[in-house]
Amino acid sequence: MNVNQSAPPVPPFGQPQPVYPGYHQSGYGGQPGSTAPPTSYGAYNGPVPGYQQTPPPGVSRAPPSSEAPPASTAQAPCGQAAYGQFGQGDVQNGPSSTVQMQRFPGSQPFGSVPLAPVVSQPAVLQPFGPPPTSAQVTAQLAGMQISGAVAPALPPVGLGYALPPGSQMTGPPGPPPPMHSSQQPGYQLQQNGSFGPARGPQPNYGSPYPGASTFGSQPGPPQPLPPKRLDPDAIPSPQLNELPPQQKTRHRIDPDAIPSPIQVIEDDRNNRGSEPFVTGVRGQVPPLVTTNFLVKDQGNASPRYIRCTSYNIPCTSDMAKQAQVPLAAVIKPLARLPPEEASPYVVDHGESGPLRCNRCKAYMCPFMQFIEGGRRFQCCFCSCINDVPPQYFQHLDHTGKRVDAYDRPELSLGSYEFLATVDYCKNNKFPSPPAFIFMIDVSYNAIRSGLVRLLCEELKSLLDFLPREGGAEESAIRVGFVTYNKVLHFYNVKSSLAQPQMMVVSDVADMFVPLLDGFLVNVSESRAVITSLLDQIPEMFADTRETETVFAPVIQAGMEALKAAECAGKLFLFHTSLPIAEAPGKLKNRDDRKLINTDKEKTLFQPQTGAYQTLAKECVAQGCCVDLFLFPNQYVDVATLSVVPQLTGGSVYKYACFQVENDQERFLSDLRRDVQKVVGFDAVMRVRTSTGIRAVDFFGAFYMSNTTDVELAGLDGDKTVTVEFKHDDRLNEESGALLQCALLYTSCAGQRRLRIHNLALNCCTQLADLYRNCETDTLINYMAKFAYRGVLNSPVKTVRDTLITQCAQILACYRKNCASPSSAGQLILPECMKLLPVYLNCVLKSDVLQPGAEVTTDDRAYVRQLVTSMDVAETNVFFYPRLLPLTKSPIESATEPPAVRASEERLSNGDIYLLENGLNLFLWVGASVQQGVVQSLFSVSSFSQITSGLSVLPVLDNPLSKKVRGLIDSLRAQRSRYMKLIVVKQEDKLEMLFKHFLVEDKSLSGGASYVDFLCHMHKEIRQLLS
Ligand SMILES: [Zn+2]
């Protein structure tokens, strides 16, 4: 049972609780005072006898899970299988950006580098290895030392990669290097989970590098050689005369000798995909986002909610500055969980509300220390000693733990929810259920493309699937409808009416809502009138000649309607064109590609007027979230139109050159998902930290009116907030560092709740510990968001250079302080960061930072804002797409085929491949593919008869066709946006689009190949070290 079922009553509406500061106080609510009325608490593992009161009106106690309503796909009319996220036009404009995580089985290989015992970690045996350790990747870069003798001499050698200093790498191919050290006999699983002999980070490193003395580890006894990650003999080098003759034949770097994303993903899958990730141990690095794993909450938040750039952070800011590794957490407070994992329990503390620290307002959590026999507790964040309210008192066991610790989610779990009291509500009133307002552009373009008819038809059935909570029979969400072009039309759809009534507001400069009663209605009560309205709208405007639209007044109207109804909610805007009609927020076409690569390029990403920020601020204050569906035929200034969605926690979808026949499935699929997804409204998020660090910067779709509170008019399960931390004091290894993310929000049913996520991290005095507990995917997520925000204020080139410099500094610091001595010609990468160069290169050559000729300004603005709220899995596949060969594995195999590296070299012209990045989906057909395969998939007899650009595969009754279509469905199901399929034939014109996503290759827009970038990075590192 869950707590909800046995929850005590909440205070009646409006009952003032003087001891609690209200909603507007700093901190989300008040702190419970010692005078709080005694309350009993239901244990989450069972109802407490005696609590049978029914909740007060308006407060429904839903089950802890807030599952999405049944997918409408089954009911909604579906089109053919394949409409991707992007129309072909979009693709031509370049890759776009969203990606949902793919869960590859895989994991990071555990470092081959012998690791030192990590004393600061709790001595709890982890189920699997800790973080990928700091195995190093050694590469001999060009010009340098090539001989294989070098690497083995280094104790903690990771992978060796030789890159000619000059850059062009030459060298023998050599056998593919073993990527794993696990075969190395004799290394025990370390306490921290890493493999390798126990020793200090750099035990053998007798003499620290100048300037690094602070961080050097103690020299230890000589250690056995670590497993070689790469055979140095296989490393190409320019000094050909040193090589055996047979090695001189190759004149480029062997791509197999540089770190492979595919290998890292596969290894993590194999190593970490089979066991659940148990969160009881502080500072554990979770499996990669590409690994499919289950999570058991034993006191720290699941990595589905929080991922960090490092799980072991430097004790001092000097160390942090030296390493340059950003300390950041990517937080997805309302992340959806797989069915096997339970949603957070909802704890109800009745009228007294959640227990908090009196000083810092942190919420009760497993890390609070109970003392004095349980009568007081010491805050784990600020050390303040607090009294335990009598009703919360419990005895301690001999270890000092409360005897009821495991009966209370807030004392034993990393994530849980509290029912909020009225003090956490606006104006000290419990909220009304939210409303959805559908605002439909009915100008000429919208009518002509068939959009309006399609949308109205879809809404008739979709309205049955508004988000519900728990077992609620119907959604509490009310709906309203507006259509618009240069003027706005409001509709009265009150259930008592025989027909809907339209009210026109033509004074868009001073928007008001012409009706209150009958505008927002319950779907089931007003169904007949709503259906009638949706039938009539396409007819009413069928002959429209109006091409001009307004935009800001539409949002203003929706927001005013919510304000009048005193509720939060979401506006769904369906819009087609640049709003040039005379009205507030009127825009002009200011697209100018000539600005690219100039100092003024940043203006392309900035809104052209401040009016939208002002509007967004008002929306946030009202809890009005805006989701924008764009259907542009030309430039619409996405940078400006997306301001309000961005600042209100909303989403933007773009369907360039929308045509019903080509794009309906993609649009409807996105719409259904968007309308049905569970959303928290009128939310405020605060991240508290233990003494020594604090949150200093935030990235995502939200608004901030002060430096600590992230305000989200709406927050759904796809959105993340990336938070950066900085030191403000010294941390200590023993106590570690704590994060607590508290999200106050209104549920779909109108219930006010607090969701709490806690995470404990380790702290280190040795840089090596930092480097072996990093997560590169999260680092890339942070760096991409940092860079994508940077383009608003700095020239793109500056942003790119900053990223490169930071990456070089990170790697140089490792080399200087953590790696064993070796020749400067070797590129040595920390095991956990060996993919940093390849992934960073993908960010650098992405359309926002290095656009190709075919990428439009709107596409860049669109991608920029998409990436801003992506989670780690989404950025991972977005920047490094997944390329799956289809005919290599047996047809019977039920699992996804293993991916190959995103490079043209990996394509065989006798095979077929799927490529996806979360937004785009291609099926590439090699020119020499067997005729039988062509027949089975396309129902034509030869390669030449395959239609290039096809977006739907024929439904054929044979194993290959079923397998490929099944795989496409499965890929789509993993992503938050529908990916439209595009069939590309080898050597065909469309292949250019496809090749844009082969990110290890040199790009047409000038982006470096992986190999070239690695050489460049090595050069940068050497410069920093010299
Ligand atoms: Zn405190």
Side-chain angles (χ1 to χ4, degrees):
M1 299 201 99
N2 63 69
V3 200
N4 300 330
Q5 291 162 312
S6 60
V10 273
F13 286 112
Q15 176 179 320
Q17 301 219 358
V19 287
Y20 303 124
Y23 175 80
H24 295 293
Q25 305 285 334
S26 65
Y28 303 138
Q31 69 220 48
S34 56
T35 56
T39 316
S40 305
Y41 303 86
Y44 69 99
N45 55 357
V48 170
Y51 289 142
Q52 296 301 335
Q53 295 100 324
T54 48
V59 180
S60 66
R61 300 188 188 280
S65 83
S66 50
E67 296 296 321
S72 68
T73 11
Q75 292 81 2
C78 288
Q80 302 286 335
Y83 294 94
Q85 169 67 29
F86 283 88
Q88 203 160 297
D90 297 288
V91 175
Q92 276 159 345
N93 296 337
S96 17
S97 67
T98 284
V99 176
Q100 192 112 299
M101 122 145 295
Q102 56 202 33
R103 305 192 182 282
F104 290 118
S107 49
Q108 288 176 294
F110 294 118
S112 55
V113 176
L115 296 181
V118 179
V119 288
S120 64
Q121 287 179 334
V124 181
L125 187 59
Q126 299 172 208
F128 18 71
T133 40
S134 64
Q136 314 157 348
V137 179
T138 342
Q140 319 169 232
L141 293 196
M144 306 265 285
Q145 285 198 235
I146 303 182
S147 62
V150 176
L154 314 173
V157 168
L159 299 182
Y161 305 102
L163 302 184
S167 84
Q168 171 92 349
M169 310 219 148
T170 38
M179 300 299 273
H180 248 285
S181 58
S182 52
Q183 68 269 39
Q184 188 79 2
Y187 289 146
Q188 301 298 314
L189 181 63
Q190 299 296 305
Q191 183 177 314
N192 65 357
S194 46
F195 294 98
R199 54 183 177 138
Q202 278 312 324
N204 289 340
Y205 220 14
S207 50
Y209 287 105
S213 52
T214 326
F215 306 113
S217 37
Q218 305 293 329
Q223 301 295 325
L225 285 181
K228 262 194 302 178
R229 308 282 298 194
L230 277 189
D231 179 1
D233 289 331
I235 293 172
S237 144
Q239 296 169 303
L240 295 181
N241 56 344
E242 293 184 12
L243 297 172
Q246 74 275 16
Q247 293 186 340
K248 296 183 184 174
T249 54
R250 211 154 186 229
H251 295 288
R252 51 187 292 273
I253 291 179
D254 180 1
D256 285 330
I258 56 180
S260 158
I262 305 305
Q263 189 66 50
V264 169
I265 287 169
E266 282 299 310
D267 288 347
D268 194 69
R269 265 181 170 174
N270 295 334
N271 294 336
R272 306 195 66 182
S274 53
E275 298 273 350
F277 179 69
V278 182
T279 70
V281 181
R282 185 175 89 190
Q284 289 181 97
V285 181
L288 295 184
V289 290
T290 41
T291 294
N292 195 1
F293 62 100
L294 285 181
V295 180
K296 282 193 179 154
D297 184 343
Q298 290 195 357
N300 283 291
S302 159
R304 303 192 205 289
Y305 296 122
I306 308 182
R307 280 187 177 265
C308 295
T309 52
S310 179
Y311 295 82
N312 196 330
I313 60 185
C315 279
T316 66
S317 62
D318 283 349
M319 266 177 84
K321 277 180 199 139
Q322 189 178 5
Q324 288 287 313
V325 176
L327 303 176
V330 179
I331 307 177
K332 201 178 189 183
L334 298 180
R336 277 185 307 275
L337 303 177
E340 302 87 346
E341 294 176 17
S343 296
Y345 288 99
V346 183
V347 180
D348 187 347
H349 283 184
E351 293 185 5
S352 62
L355 189 53
R356 307 173 68 176
C357 168
N358 287 329
R359 184 197 288 159
C360 73
K361 307 284 185 268
Y363 293 84
M364 181 50 65
C365 73
F367 307 113
M368 296 289 187
Q369 196 69 44
F370 287 85
I371 55 176
E372 297 180 22
R375 289 187 301 277
R376 307 177 93 185
F377 71 92
Q378 179 166 29
C379 177
C380 50
F381 295 93
C382 73
S383 302
C384 175
I385 308 277
N386 296 268
D387 288 334
V388 173
Q391 76 277 6
Y392 199 75
F393 175 81
Q394 187 52 268
H395 293 286
L396 308 182
D397 66 15
H398 66 285
T399 65
K401 210 177 176 82
R402 279 172 62 118
V403 299
D404 64 348
Y406 293 106
D407 296 332
R408 292 182 176 272
E410 76 277 18
L411 297 180
S412 54
L413 298 178
S415 300
Y416 43 86
E417 293 200 329
F418 290 115
L419 279 192
T421 61
V422 75
D423 307 295
Y424 293 82
C425 301
K426 257 186 200 167
N427 306 322
N428 274 23
K429 266 174 70 179
F430 279 111
S432 306
F436 282 0
I437 304 178
F438 297 91
M439 317 189 83
I440 306 168
D441 178 347
V442 289
S443 66
Y444 179 75
N445 281 336
I447 296 291
R448 191 192 52 180
S449 68
L451 168 66
V452 174
R453 187 171 298 277
L454 177 73
L455 174 59
C456 288
E457 193 57 36
E458 175 67 19
L459 285 179
K460 283 194 261 179
S461 50
L462 187 54
L463 292 177
D464 287 331
F465 299 96
L466 300 179
R468 279 174 291 178
E469 266 190 322
E473 277 197 11
E474 64 177 43
S475 175
I477 292 173
R478 290 168 296 163
V479 298
F481 303 88
V482 171
T483 56
Y484 68 94
N485 38 48
K486 269 164 70 175
V487 299
L488 277 73
H489 324 105
F490 291 79
Y491 297 93
N492 185 340
V493 285
K494 200 173 174 178
S495 59
S496 56
L497 295 175
Q499 284 293 317
Q501 295 170 347
M502 179 202 273
M503 261 157 263
V504 180
V505 175
S506 48
D507 181 8
V508 291
D510 186 18
M511 187 47 60
F512 68 100
V513 182
L515 76 166
L516 293 180
D517 188 34
F519 179 64
L520 293 178
V521 298
N522 173 286
V523 174
S524 57
E525 286 170 11
S526 290
R527 178 176 309 280
V529 193
I530 291 173
T531 302
S532 170
L533 171 66
L534 293 171
D535 282 336
Q536 291 178 44
I537 287 175
E539 309 305 329
M540 279 190 284
F541 300 98
D543 301 321
T544 187
R545 300 246 149 233
E546 185 55 70
T547 56
E548 294 190 359
T549 56
V550 295
F551 187 73
V554 182
I555 296 175
Q556 180 88 31
M559 188 262 294
E560 297 288 350
L562 295 177
K563 193 186 280 180
E566 298 186 322
C567 67
K570 198 181 215 185
L571 311 183
F572 296 82
L573 254 75
F574 305 90
H575 190 81
T576 58
S577 58
L578 192 69
I580 54 171
E582 201 53 55
K586 170 185 175 179
L587 301 179
K588 58 181 192 295
N589 187 336
R590 44 108 189 215
D591 188 16
D592 186 358
R593 295 186 57 86
K594 291 197 295 294
L595 298 182
I596 293 175
N597 290 325
T598 71
D599 284 356
K600 289 191 174 163
E601 184 173 3
K602 62 190 175 196
T603 61
L604 297 176
F605 297 110
Q606 297 166 346
Q608 62 173 287
T609 152
Y612 288 94
Q613 275 116 322
T614 310
L615 181 57
K617 199 173 157 184
E618 289 181 61
C619 287
V620 172
Q622 184 51 46
C624 171
C625 173
V626 178
D627 279 0
L628 176 60
F629 292 79
L630 286 170
F631 306 85
N633 289 332
Q634 53 196 357
Y635 178 75
V636 291
D637 199 345
V638 171
T640 306
L641 296 189
S642 64
V643 165
V644 178
Q646 172 80 20
L647 292 177
T648 60
S651 304
V652 178
Y653 300 83
K654 186 161 80 67
Y655 309 88
C657 302
F658 180 83
Q659 287 183 303
V660 167
E661 53 277 21
N662 293 334
D663 303 304
Q664 78 166 8
E665 187 53 26
R666 175 161 64 112
F667 163 57
L668 293 181
S669 194
D670 288 342
L671 175 65
R672 287 169 195 151
R673 192 175 186 281
D674 196 67
V675 167
Q676 294 178 62
K677 67 187 172 188
V678 170
V679 185
F681 294 96
D682 210 0
V684 186
M685 185 181 117
R686 167 81 72 94
V687 178
R688 291 182 173 79
T689 46
S690 53
T691 309
I693 52 165
R694 68 195 158 89
V696 293
D697 204 354
F698 302 83
F699 303 80
F702 53 73
Y703 178 78
M704 291 185 80
S705 56
N706 59 40
T707 56
T708 52
D709 292 335
V710 175
E711 298 174 46
L712 300 125
L715 175 66
D716 62 50
D718 296 326
K719 301 281 190 315
T720 63
V721 176
T722 294
V723 183
E724 187 184 7
F725 302 95
K726 287 250 158 63
H727 287 75
D728 57 9
D729 203 349
R730 196 185 171 86
L731 297 167
N732 101 43
E733 284 175 290
E734 201 173 322
S735 48
L738 297 175
L739 312 180
Q740 182 178 77
C741 165
L743 177 80
L744 174 64
Y745 70 100
T746 300
S747 75
C748 295
Q751 195 176 55
R752 201 71 175 150
R753 292 183 185 167
L754 282 148
R755 180 171 287 202
I756 313 294
H757 297 297
N758 302 289
L759 185 64
L761 302 172
N762 284 329
C763 296
C764 58
T765 53
Q766 303 293 329
L767 281 169
D769 291 331
L770 163 69
Y771 282 99
R772 74 165 64 99
N773 289 284
C774 280
E775 188 173 273
T776 294
D777 294 337
T778 309
L779 267 175
I780 289 294
N781 180 284
Y782 167 84
M783 292 173 108
K785 289 175 181 177
F786 181 81
Y788 279 20
R789 185 176 69 185
V791 299
L792 286 173
N793 302 307
S794 307
V796 170
K797 180 170 187 314
T798 308
V799 171
R800 291 163 42 83
D801 290 347
T802 304
L803 281 188
I804 293 172
T805 304
Q806 183 173 20
C807 180
Q809 283 171 332
I810 291 170
L811 298 175
C813 174
Y814 174 82
R815 173 65 183 259
K816 184 172 171 183
N817 299 289
C818 308
S820 48
S822 59
S823 139
Q826 286 198 314
L827 170 62
I828 302 184
L829 303 173
E831 174 67 19
C832 289
M833 290 187 188
K834 64 185 178 190
L835 298 181
L836 189 59
V838 59
Y839 286 164
L840 183 72
N841 188 38
C842 296
V843 174
L844 291 170
K845 61 206 266 192
S846 63
D847 288 337
V848 171
L849 298 184
Q850 195 161 17
E854 74 291 349
V855 180
T856 68
T857 300
D858 272 348
D859 284 319
R860 297 177 75 198
Y862 178 63
V863 168
R864 198 190 74 78
Q865 75 82 35
L866 276 181
V867 167
T868 301
S869 21
M870 279 187 183
D871 68 15
V872 178
E874 288 174 322
T875 49
N876 176 266
V877 77
F878 175 69
F879 288 111
Y880 191 95
R882 190 152 55 142
L883 181 59
L884 305 171
L886 297 185
T887 60
K888 291 240 162 56
S889 56
I891 288 185
E892 316 76 56
S893 164
T895 55
E896 266 173 30
V900 297
R901 293 167 68 166
S903 166
E904 191 169 359
E905 286 184 24
R906 307 287 163 171
L907 299 174
S908 148
N909 62 5
D911 205 349
I912 289 181
Y913 298 80
L914 272 176
L915 180 145
E916 65 111 356
N917 73 343
L919 289 182
N920 303 284
L921 179 62
F922 291 94
L923 182 71
W924 183 89
V925 187
S928 311
V929 74
Q930 286 176 11
Q931 194 191 334
V933 170
V934 171
Q935 185 70 45
S936 298
L937 270 189
F938 300 99
S939 196
V940 294
S941 55
S942 70
F943 176 79
S944 62
Q945 290 176 293
I946 300 171
T947 309
S948 174
L950 197 67
S951 65
V952 182
L953 292 181
V955 177
L956 303 173
D957 187 17
N958 67 68
L960 182 64
S961 174
K962 284 180 185 168
K963 178 183 173 180
V964 173
R965 285 180 292 113
L967 184 56
I968 290 171
D969 288 345
S970 145
L971 294 177
R972 284 178 178 152
Q974 294 171 42
R975 306 298 172 206
S976 61
R977 293 178 182 231
Y978 191 90
M979 298 183 289
K980 179 174 172 175
L981 179 71
I982 297 181
V983 173
V984 172
K985 295 163 70 176
Q986 187 176 11
E987 304 293 334
D988 185 83
K989 207 172 55 182
L990 272 180
E991 200 185 23
M992 293 280 285
L993 300 183
F994 173 78
K995 285 183 177 173
H996 186 83
F997 298 89
L998 298 176
V999 290
E1000 288 201 20
D1001 300 340
K1002 195 168 162 48
S1003 73
L1004 285 175
S1005 53
S1009 70
Y1010 176 19
V1011 168
D1012 288 347
F1013 184 71
L1014 199 56
C1015 291
H1016 178 70
M1017 192 50 66
H1018 186 228
K1019 208 159 66 185
E1020 296 275 323
I1021 294 168
R1022 288 174 60 179
Q1023 267 170 15
L1024 288 171
L1025 293 175
S1026 63

